[in-house]
Amino acid sequence: MQTNISNSEEITRYLHEKIPLTRTMGVKVETYNSEKLILSAPLEANHNHLGTAFGGSLAAIATLAGYSLIWLELGDRDSHVVIKSSSIQYRYPVRGDLHAVCKRLDQNELDAFRTKFARTGKAGIDLSVTIEENDRVCVDFQGLFVAIR
């Protein structure tokens, strides 16, 4: 799996500068390619009293994965991305490092999002993020992200 280094470094740096929690969590871009974006964070900084991943950390990294993908795909570094609504299902405990996977959007969907944003200065899009461990989906996240100029 190939990572686009410049964009990976850019989003990691941006997250650490603008959202301090990401530094504390140890969030980094693991993969950003033509198929998906994966954010990772060590369990050591994100565990609960049972030694598994803390639910708040799982929700945060899932939200950050969607946020990061939209910020990169939009290509407008002066825009602001916010989450309007979300839902999450915790299926299984995460016992190792956190890996939040956000698949890239269908090109038609992405084009419509960009066109609306260019025309109105505001556009929203639904994204799905999974947190996976040992080829098993442990967490399902759905979020409505909005870009604003």
Side-chain angles (χ1 to χ4, degrees), residues 18 25 30 69 83 86 116 121:
K18 302 294 184 182
M25 289 178 65
E30 182 176 308
L69 183 74
I83 183 141
S86 67
K116 182 174 181 185

Side-chain angles (χ1 to χ4, degrees), residues 99-147:
H99 300 275
V101 180
C102 187
K103 293 186 179 169
R104 288 183 82 165
L105 299 164
D106 170 77
Q107 193 59 49
N108 292 333
E109 212 177 349
L110 183 57
D111 290 344
F113 173 76
R114 286 179 178 149
T115 299
K116 182 174 181 185
F117 181 78
R119 193 178 73 248
T120 67
K122 183 177 180 182
I125 197 156
D126 290 304
L127 292 176
S128 297
V129 177
T130 57
I131 296 176
E132 303 175 9
E133 183 175 55
N134 299 324
D135 296 323
R136 176 165 78 169
V137 173
C138 296
V139 177
D140 280 314
F141 172 92
Q142 305 290 318
L144 172 57
F145 292 85
V146 178

Side-chain angles (χ1 to χ4, degrees), residues 26-43:
V27 171
K28 68 177 186 171
V29 176
E30 182 176 308
T31 301
Y32 176 60
N33 61 29
S34 62
E35 298 173 16
K36 60 191 161 195
L37 176 133
I38 302 175
L39 293 184
S40 64
L43 178 63

Side-chain angles (χ1 to χ4, degrees), residues 65-76:
Y67 173 97
S68 298
L69 183 74
I70 288 302
W71 190 80
L72 286 166
E73 292 294 318
L74 190 58
D76 182 336

